[in-house]
Amino acid sequence: MRAMVLEQAREPLRPTDLPVPEPGPGQVAIEVRACAVCRTDLHIVDGELAEPKLPLVLGHQIAGRVTGGGERFEAGQRVGVPWLGFTDGTCRYCRSARENLCDEARFTGYDIDGGYAEHVVADERYCFPLPDGYDDVQVAPLLCAGLIGYRTLKLAGDAERLGIYGFGAAASIIAQVAVHQGRRVFAFTRADDEEAQRFALELGAEWAGGSLGPPPEELDAALIFAPVGPLVPAALKAVAKGGTVVCGGIHMSDIPAMPYELLWGERVLRSVANLTRADAEQFLELAPRVPVRTQVETFPLEEANEALDRLRAGNLRGSAVLLL
Ligand SMILES: [Zn+2]
Ligand SMILES: [Zn+2]
């Protein structure tokens, strides 16, 4: 089968002919139709997440059709494969409904070969039926940008005035959910990125502007999706007393030293790590009711390096999706 393989960090993915993987016990075999590119993929390629299996097939936003294996799905059924690929079910985190923090967790496209390939095998317990009303390309970004974005939003509690920093794939999905929930959305982008600001306003944000400037009014919570540490003090400064700042990415540049005053007033700063299966079930049920629309740009599998370069350069609107 055709696959794009990472052999070493900081090197381009290499087109490779791999054997079609065979499903083991409890695994389902999937023919990949579409796989969305995530910023995490970029962090892996760039060596910022240091311990991937190598060689590695990236890709953890997989939409495909079951071809065999397992007991949970019928052949031909459409399923999605997200980042969370395995948990032990027994550690203190798994036993307290926090399998996203599992000590033994394994991740698709990091510890396990992912969807930058024509076929993939996955533990069937971590696969999900995909909602109708989306084609494979449109649904793929829901599997990480959507799921992790949704968990980030949940950790902001019931905040009414919501700031969203970094208006890429996750933000564009979660802004739609937040507006649907009756929240007021304020979008923060690079000061000169008028196109992103226009995009945010189209999706229902009531204000869009530069991320280091003040918001037009105090926020109750802020979600940070850009991997930029200096946004942390900026967002803390923008939230009201008791407000929460949630960092939704797996990696961020260093956070600059800041005065305690920015955290004072019972402000909360926290990160989001991974997802639970319950997050996925809730979000995939909610998305078609909003309905969340994804904006995508498609690339053939062989152009995965170009897709990653465009994401790195920040000139993608919405998600890059590899078409198989
Ligand atoms: Zn565990
Ligand atoms: Zn991801």
Side-chain angles (χ1 to χ4, degrees):
M1 67 168 181
R2 294 179 296 128
M4 292 297 283
V5 174
L6 178 71
E7 292 174 355
Q8 283 297 327
R10 291 173 288 274
E11 284 179 11
L13 308 184
R14 188 169 298 181
T16 308
D17 187 25
L18 293 180
V20 174
E22 292 284 333
Q27 286 186 323
V28 66
I30 297 162
E31 182 186 39
V32 180
R33 297 289 175 85
C35 185
V37 175
C38 176
R39 182 167 291 282
T40 297
D41 302 343
L42 203 53
H43 292 313
I44 297 168
V45 172
D46 291 345
E48 291 161 338
L49 295 178
E51 294 178 330
K53 115 186 217 313
L54 289 174
L56 172 70
V57 180
L58 289 164
H60 58 268
Q61 306 191 80
I62 304 168
R65 296 290 185 289
V66 171
T67 56
E71 295 176 348
R72 189 172 159 212
F73 301 104
E74 312 258 320
Q77 195 173 345
R78 188 164 80 135
V79 293
V81 185
W83 172 244
L84 186 72
F86 174 81
T87 59
D88 60 11
T90 56
C91 74
R92 57 185 304 185
Y93 299 106
C94 285
R95 284 186 283 112
S96 55
R98 295 179 293 167
E99 66 181 0
N100 59 307
L101 302 179
C102 176
D103 287 330
E104 301 296 330
R106 288 158 55 82
F107 301 104
T108 311
Y110 188 62
D111 303 303
I112 305 168
D113 279 338
Y116 287 22
E118 287 178 289
H119 297 268
V120 68
V121 295
D123 185 322
E124 63 180 346
R125 297 172 297 172
Y126 301 87
C127 299
F128 298 93
L130 292 174
D132 297 331
Y134 293 90
D135 64 26
D136 296 326
V137 167
Q138 300 287 335
V139 84
L142 298 184
L143 287 159
C144 190
L147 296 185
I148 303 281
Y150 178 64
R151 184 171 179 85
T152 308
L153 178 65
K154 281 204 300 188
L155 294 184
D158 58 5
E160 187 203 345
R161 297 167 300 179
L162 185 73
I164 301 183
Y165 287 73
F167 220 84
S172 67
I173 291 170
I174 286 320
Q176 297 173 63
V177 176
V179 169
H180 172 79
Q181 292 173 334
R183 304 178 197 247
R184 298 170 58 202
V185 173
F186 299 78
F188 296 81
T189 73
R190 280 191 301 251
D192 59 352
D193 195 346
E194 287 171 19
E195 196 191 338
Q197 292 169 12
R198 204 164 39 240
F199 184 43
L201 295 171
E202 278 168 27
L203 291 175
E206 69 174 63
W207 176 90
S211 54
L212 297 176
E217 58 186 284
E218 280 188 321
L219 306 173
D220 300 308
L223 315 181
I224 303 180
F225 291 113
V228 181
L231 292 177
V232 169
L236 281 169
K237 199 181 265 181
V239 298
K241 286 181 284 190
T244 300
V245 174
V246 191
C247 302
I250 193 168
H251 174 83
M252 190 180 251
S253 58
D254 286 353
I255 299 168
M258 59 186 186
Y260 176 58
E261 180 193 342
L262 290 182
L263 192 59
W264 172 248
E266 301 194 344
R267 290 174 180 85
V268 174
L269 172 63
R270 68 176 303 171
S271 64
V272 165
N274 315 317
L275 70 140
T276 66
R277 284 172 282 180
D279 296 328
E281 282 155 14
Q282 287 169 20
F283 179 70
L284 292 174
E285 190 273 324
L286 172 63
R289 288 193 288 115
V290 170
V292 171
R293 292 292 162 223
T294 53
Q295 182 156 339
V296 300
E297 189 170 335
T298 59
F299 296 78
L301 175 65
E302 286 70 19
E303 290 178 18
N305 289 311
E306 284 81 345
L308 288 164
D309 287 344
R310 292 273 306 281
L311 180 58
R312 188 185 289 106
N315 60 11
L316 272 172
R317 196 55 67 227
S319 297
V321 177
L322 304 179
L323 257 182
L324 275 300

